[in-house]
Amino acid sequence: MKANRRLNQISRSELERRWSLVRNRLAAIDCDMLIAVGGHNTWSGGMNRWLTDYMVTYRRVVLFHRNDEMTVIEHGGMNTHRQPPDGHPNYPGVGDVYSVSEFPAVSFTQDYEARIVIDVLRKRRYRRVALHNPGSMPFGFLNAIRTSLEDAIEFIDDSDFLDGAKAVKSEEEIAMIRTAARIQDEVFAEVVAQARPGMRDFEVTAMAEHAVRLRRGRFGVYLGSSAPQGQPAYLLMSEEQGRRIEPGDSLTFLIENGSPDGMFVELMRTIVFGEPTKELIRACEQAAAVQKHTFSLMRPGVACADIYASYRQYMAEHGLAPDTRLYSHGQGHDLVERPLIRDDENMVLRAGMNMTAHPSVSTDTVYSIICDNVIVRDQGVEPLHTTEKRIFQARG
């Protein structure tokens, strides 16, 4: 008996598209299987989700066989095994599911998934295996596999190809991304209409998260910090958002959540509770101009490192301090995914990539940031957010 379709489940044809890319790649590099690890962070683990259309909390290991259905190792009762019924919404393309009781804070459980992987590899007599992002895999997991099998199996880091495949979005995925952007535009407008002096920063971000959840948006990050105008209102995490907003203050505000299907975008603007100063208006205009410059460079075939070099030059020519962390990057299945617009990124842009840019202008007295998403197209970029690139005034 087939299980019911899960809400917001991706189409089988989209999954088949992804699986075909991976199988063809495994054939091209003569690998028997791909190992991908995700979980312990709902903001990432996107390769795991890209392969299985399942969002995880605890660690989940996917073994993508070149010539067979996938094997999944997930959190649950110790040492159990089952074969999901055909059409189960949580296990598309999965033939075997194993479960173990691993916990990230418990050291002696860190090789539990590895033991099953080792057994699968030995029984199938594989000789060459691809890894996605092995540097982020838990040491206990990867070390146990390599120690046990290094004489019998060759492991290949194929992250560049796999990251590139995930970064180029299909039209079905882009439709999900547009939904996420629409939700954020709606929620931001609600926040501007409802935020008042006297509220604390965390009350404003909680209001946004509540509005997102009512629209079935998934997880995410909500940052908001206020300060008197004349002082920079830097973004702060939720545990630091205790300040009470006073009349005349400014609030730097971020909504970064997933769509009902779990596809990430992000929106950042400044809200003021009075009249904005000329300095703040100027900083916002400068940030918007930097973003416009960045998006003007985004074309298929353009190297990300070249865009970053142009950004650094633009900032220097306008007397602005560049962001040395990350001011523009890919998004989608992960909150931050490749490509990065940075000098250490080797990717070039391709049509279908979902890119965000959040340049900031920061001094000792002002902080302004503008953030939106676009889809890279053959002739330029397709804007996703519709919120105006300006300072917004809350009532009261």
Side-chain angles (χ1 to χ4, degrees):
M1 181 177 178
K2 291 187 177 182
N4 292 331
R5 181 178 172 83
R6 192 176 73 240
L7 187 66
N8 303 121
Q9 187 174 4
I10 205 162
S11 71
R12 181 74 180 205
S13 61
E14 169 59 20
L15 288 172
E16 294 283 1
R17 180 191 71 86
R18 301 172 188 177
W19 298 340
S20 178
L21 287 172
V22 178
R23 288 201 172 93
N24 290 339
R25 176 62 176 178
L26 292 176
I29 61 175
D30 192 26
C31 281
D32 303 298
M33 187 182 80
L34 163 69
I35 301 177
V37 179
H40 290 329
N41 184 348
T42 54
W43 303 344
S44 60
M47 179 55 65
N48 196 296
R49 182 153 57 93
W50 189 74
L51 291 169
T52 64
D53 189 34
Y54 190 75
M55 301 177 194
V56 297
T57 301
Y58 284 100
R59 192 155 71 212
R60 198 174 197 239
V61 178
V62 173
L63 309 181
F64 188 99
H65 303 286
R66 175 174 158 186
N67 296 311
D68 200 357
E69 292 186 306
M70 288 178 279
T71 298
V72 165
I73 308 164
E74 62 185 15
H75 185 82
M78 273 298 291
N79 300 321
T80 65
H81 170 256
R82 64 190 187 280
Q83 294 179 318
D86 181 52
H88 194 293
N90 292 345
Y91 301 102
V94 176
D96 292 281
V97 178
Y98 295 87
S99 67
V100 295
S101 300
E102 172 274 331
F103 299 91
V106 182
S107 61
F108 61 81
T109 67
Q110 297 311 297
D111 69 344
Y112 284 1
E113 296 102 338
R115 297 177 191 179
I116 296 173
V117 174
I118 292 166
D119 186 59
V120 169
L121 290 172
R122 282 176 172 162
K123 287 180 177 178
R124 291 178 179 251
R125 298 182 179 181
Y126 287 165
R127 290 293 177 262
R128 190 173 164 95
V129 171
L131 305 175
H132 175 256
N133 199 3
S136 74
M137 291 181 181
F139 175 82
F141 169 80
L142 188 56
N143 184 61
I145 295 172
R146 282 182 160 159
T147 300
S148 298
L149 300 171
E150 62 183 355
D151 293 334
I153 295 179
E154 181 183 5
F155 294 97
I156 306 297
D157 181 351
D158 201 35
S159 301
D160 281 353
F161 173 83
L162 295 164
D163 288 342
K166 180 164 67 72
V168 177
K169 308 302 190 273
S170 68
E171 288 305 316
E172 181 174 340
E173 291 171 316
I174 290 171
M176 299 171 183
I177 292 167
R178 288 196 188 100
T179 297
R182 175 182 54 77
I183 288 173
Q184 290 180 355
D185 287 324
E186 292 174 358
V187 169
F188 181 79
E190 285 190 17
V191 169
V192 172
Q194 297 176 23
R196 297 287 187 276
M199 299 177 70
R200 295 190 183 274
D201 296 346
F202 69 81
E203 293 180 274
V204 179
T205 58
M207 181 167 53
E209 184 172 6
H210 177 68
V212 167
R213 293 296 297 272
L214 289 178
R215 292 166 170 80
R216 297 198 66 83
R218 303 297 295 267
F219 30 78
V221 181
Y222 303 85
L223 306 183
S225 62
S226 62
Q229 291 195 64
Q231 298 179 22
Y234 297 118
L235 288 168
L236 298 174
M237 299 300 290
S238 58
E239 61 270 18
E240 302 174 286
Q241 296 169 11
R243 185 181 181 278
R244 188 181 300 278
I245 300 169
E246 301 294 339
D249 286 354
S250 68
L251 174 78
T252 307
F253 184 64
L254 160 73
I255 308 173
E256 188 170 15
N257 64 277
S259 68
D261 325 88
M263 299 294 281
F264 278 106
V265 296
E266 57 181 330
L267 175 68
M268 272 188 277
R269 295 290 190 272
T270 297
I271 302 171
V272 295
F273 297 83
E275 291 293 328
T277 64
K278 291 181 179 178
E279 184 183 23
L280 185 59
I281 293 172
R282 175 59 177 156
C284 178
E285 291 172 346
Q286 289 174 316
V290 177
Q291 188 197 67
K292 181 179 180 180
H293 173 75
T294 297
F295 286 152
S296 74
L297 301 172
M298 290 186 173
R299 299 284 192 281
V302 177
C304 295
D306 289 346
I307 296 177
Y308 184 68
S310 179
Y311 158 76
R312 294 290 297 251
Q313 180 179 352
Y314 182 97
M315 298 296 277
E317 290 174 351
H318 289 79
L320 302 173
D323 189 322
T324 58
R325 174 183 170 268
L326 182 64
Y327 92 104
S328 180
H329 56 88
Q331 279 192 313
H333 290 85
D334 295 287
L335 187 122
V336 175
E337 66 182 38
R338 296 179 69 187
L340 309 183
I341 302 300
R342 248 177 25 183
D343 56 4
D344 53 353
E345 175 63 83
N346 61 19
M347 277 191 184
V348 300
L349 294 184
R350 295 163 62 187
M353 287 182 170
N354 172 32
M355 302 296 296
T356 183
H358 41 78
S360 62
V361 172
S362 179
T363 70
D364 291 337
T365 57
V366 70
Y367 180 76
S368 183
I369 190 166
I370 291 283
C371 178
D372 301 89
N373 285 70
V374 297
I375 300 296
V376 178
R377 297 296 192 184
D378 288 336
Q379 303 303 319
V381 297
E382 172 195 338
L384 295 177
H385 291 99
T386 59
T387 300
E388 294 180 73
K389 300 177 195 294
R390 61 176 176 85
I391 295 172
F392 287 79
Q393 290 180 264
R395 299 177 186 173

